[in-house]
Amino acid sequence: MASGSNWLSGVNVVLVMAYGSLVFVLLFIFVKRQIMRFAMKSRRGPHVPVGHNAPKDLKEEIDIRLSRVQDIKYEPQLLADDDARLLQLETQGNQSCYNYLYRMKALDAIRTSDRVLICCPGWSAVARSWLTTTSTS
């Protein structure tokens, strides 16, 4: 009976060590993941290393071109005046299935109003104050 209890205690020790190492590995993976998650959240840029194994010159060129992306100020027009979808909207009576067209028209109107606000600095202050008072009420 003493030898059976020694054998069980040896198995128990091995199991405790195995479970302990498993818990340690899982905690290590979790902590590393959280650290990387917060590091990526605080830094702007791509979430994966771009050009990781590339030569130094190529990596610098990639970084320069990625930094230029923030300076792009192009917003495409979503709906043209002669768009077939607009003509279809005007002819049909059931307009509930074309809600996305109204959203696209609203975004185009916002973009054109932004251009007006930028071009006319005197009027833009009045318009901004009017927009802020209407948005808060």
Side-chain angles (χ1 to χ4, degrees):
M1 187 179 235
S3 66
S5 65
N6 285 339
W7 182 77
L8 286 177
S9 67
V11 170
N12 287 338
V13 168
V14 169
L15 286 175
V16 167
M17 287 174 51
Y19 288 137
S21 62
L22 180 66
V23 167
F24 177 75
V25 167
L26 289 175
L27 281 175
F28 177 77
I29 291 171
F30 177 75
V31 168
K32 183 176 186 261
R33 182 178 174 273
Q34 290 295 81
I35 289 171
M36 291 301 293
R37 184 175 143 224
F38 287 121
M40 291 298 172
K41 192 181 286 188
S42 66
R43 181 180 57 161
R44 286 191 158 172
H47 292 291
V48 294
V50 178
H52 182 65
N53 292 328
K56 184 178 179 182
D57 296 336
L58 181 59
K59 191 183 294 186
E60 288 174 357
E61 182 68 25
I62 290 171
D63 288 338
I64 289 170
R65 290 187 184 203
L66 282 176
S67 66
R68 281 191 218 152
V69 170
Q70 296 173 355
D71 298 332
I72 297 174
K73 304 272 192 253
Y74 175 71
E75 294 181 22
Q77 185 176 2
L78 299 176
L79 285 175
D81 293 333
D82 58 345
D83 198 337
R85 293 174 290 188
L86 280 178
L87 299 174
Q88 194 177 37
L89 178 65
E90 293 170 357
T91 57
Q92 289 190 355
N94 185 9
Q95 297 171 350
S96 63
C97 61
Y98 295 108
N99 289 335
Y100 69 97
L101 292 174
Y102 291 114
R103 288 191 292 268
M104 292 169 76
K105 285 173 69 171
L107 287 174
D108 284 339
I110 289 171
R111 189 185 66 245
T112 56
S113 66
D114 283 345
R115 287 185 194 149
V116 170
L117 290 177
I118 290 171
C119 293
C120 306
W123 188 76
S124 65
V126 175
R128 283 192 189 116
S129 65
W130 179 77
L131 288 172
T132 55
T133 56
T134 56
S135 65
T136 56
S137 59

